[in-house]
């Protein structure tokens, strides 16, 4: 009896704890489902202050808008980030080359580029060996190669675009990037993926190197907790400066055809009986009649496209700008990192220049991530669209991870002025099948059926039927997806998919289907089949 009672007691409390965990998990799952299926709303009016949005070189663009909202437009673009800007640039330049005019109005709920593009990590980076293995399992070797090619092509295209247009303010540059591993099992798995990548796409691995623990520590100044590192080529950028450089150029080049309307939130969209202008965009400043509507609001897209709720939803992330320690190598912005753990990771870039004392700019380490530390097993930030707050637990983690990640001996004392310069949040758009949604939106997704119009022809080219369009849901990899998705969508809107074009600044050569992934095309069938449950099982 003396031994039986403790045994029963332990069993009782063990079962009680298990039931409590199950109940908590069920409650959390119910809460998560509700958030993912909810209306993400209009961007909040009191966002946290992003480092990237400070010290803007284009003060006149921050709150740019007309005295009177335009009454009509051929094309309304909702969103002033990298996607909307790429779409606008493509449409306006294509129309100019065709000798036709299309009036384009860009709407922004807050200040210019104040959404995800103005709040991200500044990477131009995917993880090609990991992406290749994932895509190979899903789509086969050939499609995996095409998808990796599309993503990695953003680095030369964006760097070349900034160079050709003299947008030096964007700090677009190629860097050596390190994936540093702090879990042995994950390290071994990634080495295996590199070998698989070498076999399936050898031309993509010329700059990929695997560094074992000792040599990684010595060559790259890593702390003793790292098991090893994988290096390859990636890029870094000041994202919203690329966008504002482009918008400034468009406004000067096409003053009669392009307008930017900030602080103009879209509250609803309805239809008319006019086949040439079948849409009414209802905004906080009045209504605009439109022929085409482009949804480029990423995490907020499902607000106006209800058929995407639960399929495209926000996930809030936290970013910081920090001063490196006194012993940190002076790299002048030539390197980036990803600090990878058993679950989750931190993404890190460093700006060019010398580290400032207190108030200046230069050498900041830009680090975000820590999603798994955010609470609720990492799902607490899923379905959260508001960027008005940062996550306490994530902030604590990001505020302390750098000296440990790089090693106390390589970090040294904190720089004058303290480590933390800035902390902010931003919401990215996640899709249930982890692929962007790009293309024409079917009425079954929008809930709006425009009056059918006859397909007309201009003197020099076709015009597509009026429609709503989307480019959104980059799953945290916007800088290796958004620009060319925007180019592709602009060509779709103008009916230029089959035109074989020469390579130009910001655009690849060839026909659309020669470089744009068919897996990204948005359709009702794809949306229906995308399962958030499968997504959650893989996270």
């Amino acid at each position: 009896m003396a031994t039986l009672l403790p045994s029963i007691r332990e069993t009782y409390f063990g079962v009680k704890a298990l039931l409590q965990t199950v109940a908590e998990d069920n409650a959390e799952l119910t809460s998560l489902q509700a958030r993912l299926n909810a209306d993400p709303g209009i961007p909040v009016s009191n966002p946290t202050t992003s480092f990237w949005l400070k010290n803007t070189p284009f003060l006149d663009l921050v709150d740019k808008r007309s005295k009177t909202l335009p009454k009509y437009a051929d094309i309304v673009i909702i969103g002033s980030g990298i996607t909307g800007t790429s779409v606008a640039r493509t449409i306006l330049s294509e129309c100019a080359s065709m000798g036709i005019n299309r009036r384009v109005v860009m709407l922004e709920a807050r200040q210019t580029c104040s959404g995800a593009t103005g709040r991200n990590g500044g990477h131009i980076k995917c993880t090609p060996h990991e992406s290749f293995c994932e895509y190979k399992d899903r789509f086969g070797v050939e499609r995996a190669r095409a998808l990796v090619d599309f993503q990695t092509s953003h680095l030369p295209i964006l760097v070349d675009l900034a160079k050709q247009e003299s947008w030096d303010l964007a700090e677009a540059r190629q860097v050596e990037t390190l994936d540093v591993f702090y879990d042995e099992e994950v390290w071994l798995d990634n080495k295996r993926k590199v070998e698989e990548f070498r076999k399936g796409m050898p031309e993509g691995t010329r700059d990929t190197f695997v560094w074992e623990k000792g040599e990684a520590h010595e060559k790259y100044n890593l702390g003793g907790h790292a098991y090893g590192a994988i290096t390859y080529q990636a890029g870094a950028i000041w994202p919203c400066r690329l966008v504002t450089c482009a918008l400034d150029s468009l406004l000067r080049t096409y003053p009669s055809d392009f307008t930017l309307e900030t602080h103009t939130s879209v509250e609803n969209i309805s239809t008319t009986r006019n086949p040439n202008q079948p849409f009414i965009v209802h905004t906080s400043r009045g209504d605009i009649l439109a022929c085409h509507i482009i949804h480029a609001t990423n995490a907020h897209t499902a607000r106006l496209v209800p058929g995407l709720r639960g399929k495209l939803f926000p996930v809030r992330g936290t970013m910081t700008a920090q001063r490196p320690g006194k012993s940190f190598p002076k790299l002048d912005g030539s390197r980036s990192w990803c600090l990878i753990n058993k679950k989750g990771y931190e993404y890190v870039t460093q700006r060019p220049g010398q580290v400032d004392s207190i108030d200046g700019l230069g050498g900041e380490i830009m680090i975000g991530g820590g999603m798994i530390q955010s609470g609720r097993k990492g799902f607490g930030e899923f379905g959260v669209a508001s960027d008005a707050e940062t996550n306490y637990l994530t902030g604590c983690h990001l505020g302390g991870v750098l000296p440990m990640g790089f090693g106390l001996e390589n970090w040294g004392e904190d720089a004058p002025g303290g480590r933390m310069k800035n902390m902010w949040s931003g919401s990215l758009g996640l899709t249930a099948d982890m692929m962007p949604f790009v293309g024409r939106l079917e009425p079954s997704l929008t809930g709006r059926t425009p009056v059918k119009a006859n397909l007309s022809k201009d003197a020099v080219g076709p015009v597509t039927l009026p429609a709503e369009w989307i480019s959104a849901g980059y799953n945290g990899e916007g800088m290796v997806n958004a620009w060319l998705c925007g180019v592709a969508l602009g060509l779709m809107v103008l009916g230029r998919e089959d035109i074989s074009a020469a390579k130009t600044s910001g655009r690849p050569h060839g026909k659309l289907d020669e470089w744009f992934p068919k897996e990204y095309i948005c359709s009702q069938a794809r949306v229906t089949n995308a399962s958030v449950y499968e997504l959650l099982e893989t996270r």
Side-chain angles (χ1 to χ4, degrees), residues 78-90:
I78 308 173
S80 66
I82 187 169
T83 300
T85 300
S86 176
V87 173
R89 186 176 186 270
T90 301

Side-chain angles (χ1 to χ4, degrees), residues 367-388:
I367 172 171
M371 183 68 70
I372 198 68
Q373 284 80 20
S374 66
R376 299 179 181 178
K377 300 182 179 180
F379 293 119
E381 300 293 82
F382 278 50
V384 179
S386 171
D387 50 18

Side-chain angles (χ1 to χ4, degrees), residues 483-530:
W483 182 266
L484 288 181
C485 284
V487 172
L489 191 64
L491 296 174
M492 293 178 197
V493 172
L494 294 175
R496 304 279 284 175
E497 300 100 313
D498 295 328
I499 303 300
S500 184
K503 182 181 184 298
T504 57
S505 175
R507 175 180 169 179
H509 72 276
K511 297 180 182 180
L512 188 64
D513 63 5
E514 294 174 353
W515 55 266
F516 183 72
K518 61 184 180 181
E519 290 81 5
Y520 286 11
I521 296 296
C522 183
S523 67
Q524 177 65 71
R526 183 185 149 203
V527 170
T528 299
N529 290 332

Side-chain angles (χ1 to χ4, degrees), residues 93-384:
S93 61
E94 281 291 303
C95 287
S97 69
M98 295 162 65
I100 63 175
N101 296 98
R102 292 290 179 268
R103 187 168 190 187
V104 179
V105 175
M106 178 178 284
L107 304 177
E108 170 57 55
R110 304 186 299 203
Q111 294 181 327
T112 299
C113 198
S114 58
T117 307
R119 298 174 174 276
N120 69 22
H123 284 273
I124 309 173
K125 173 181 175 175
C126 64
T127 308
H129 59 275
E130 190 173 74
S131 296
F132 175 82
C133 293
E134 178 186 342
Y135 295 144
K136 182 176 73 69
D137 290 344
R138 292 179 66 180
F139 307 114
V141 172
E142 291 306 312
R143 294 311 304 158
R145 292 166 61 92
L147 285 159
V148 171
D149 277 340
F150 176 78
Q151 293 180 353
T152 55
S153 70
H154 277 75
L155 174 56
I157 282 176
L158 290 176
V159 171
D160 180 69
L161 171 65
K163 181 179 180 180
Q164 293 298 321
E165 300 292 340
S166 298
W167 295 342
D168 297 339
L169 292 167
E171 298 179 358
R173 61 201 185 276
Q174 182 171 299
V175 302
E176 180 184 36
T177 193
L178 275 76
D179 290 345
V180 187
F181 297 88
Y182 298 91
D183 179 85
E184 187 174 18
E185 183 180 347
V186 178
W187 164 237
L188 294 174
D189 184 54
N190 272 265
K191 288 200 294 182
R192 177 192 62 77
K193 288 178 178 177
V194 168
E195 290 307 309
E196 191 172 338
F197 185 36
R198 290 192 197 282
K199 293 176 183 177
M201 199 172 176
E203 72 280 9
T205 61
R206 287 190 296 266
D207 297 316
T208 301
F209 301 96
V210 175
W211 305 91
E212 296 293 343
K213 187 169 187 173
E215 55 190 0
H217 289 194
E218 181 177 353
K219 184 176 178 64
Y220 291 107
N221 301 102
L222 301 177
H225 293 90
Y227 284 91
I230 298 171
T231 62
Y232 47 98
Q233 294 300 306
I237 195 170
W238 191 314
C240 60
R241 284 194 175 181
L242 178 83
V243 166
T244 51
C245 282
L247 290 175
D248 175 70
S249 175
L250 293 177
L251 289 165
R252 288 186 287 103
T253 306
Y254 307 101
S256 300
D257 296 332
F258 180 58
T259 57
L260 169 61
E261 306 292 339
T262 65
H263 302 287
T264 307
S265 58
V266 178
E267 298 170 343
N268 195 12
I269 298 171
S270 62
T271 57
T272 74
R273 294 185 178 182
N274 182 347
N276 297 314
Q277 293 176 329
F279 299 106
I280 307 175
V281 181
H282 304 278
T283 83
S284 57
R285 295 173 56 213
D287 297 344
I288 305 176
L289 290 170
C291 180
H292 295 276
I293 298 173
I294 312 291
H295 294 271
T297 55
N298 207 22
H300 293 270
T301 305
R303 160 74 177 168
L304 298 169
V305 187
L308 292 180
R309 292 178 192 172
K311 308 291 187 173
L312 169 57
F313 45 84
V315 177
R316 184 172 62 188
T318 299
M319 266 296 299
T320 66
Q322 303 185 36
R323 295 179 182 87
K326 289 184 178 181
S327 299
F328 196 80
K330 294 177 173 57
L331 300 167
D332 196 30
S334 64
R335 190 175 292 165
S336 72
W337 303 261
C338 195
L339 312 181
I340 302 171
N341 309 295
K342 176 68 174 178
K343 290 188 177 181
Y345 57 90
E346 292 76 52
Y347 42 89
V348 188
T349 63
Q350 186 178 25
R351 286 196 54 246
Q354 297 298 311
V355 178
D356 71 281
S357 57
I358 295 179
D359 297 323
L361 291 173
E364 290 87 0
I365 293 183
M366 316 299 290
I367 172 171
M371 183 68 70
I372 198 68
Q373 284 80 20
S374 66
R376 299 179 181 178
K377 300 182 179 180
F379 293 119
E381 300 293 82
F382 278 50
V384 179

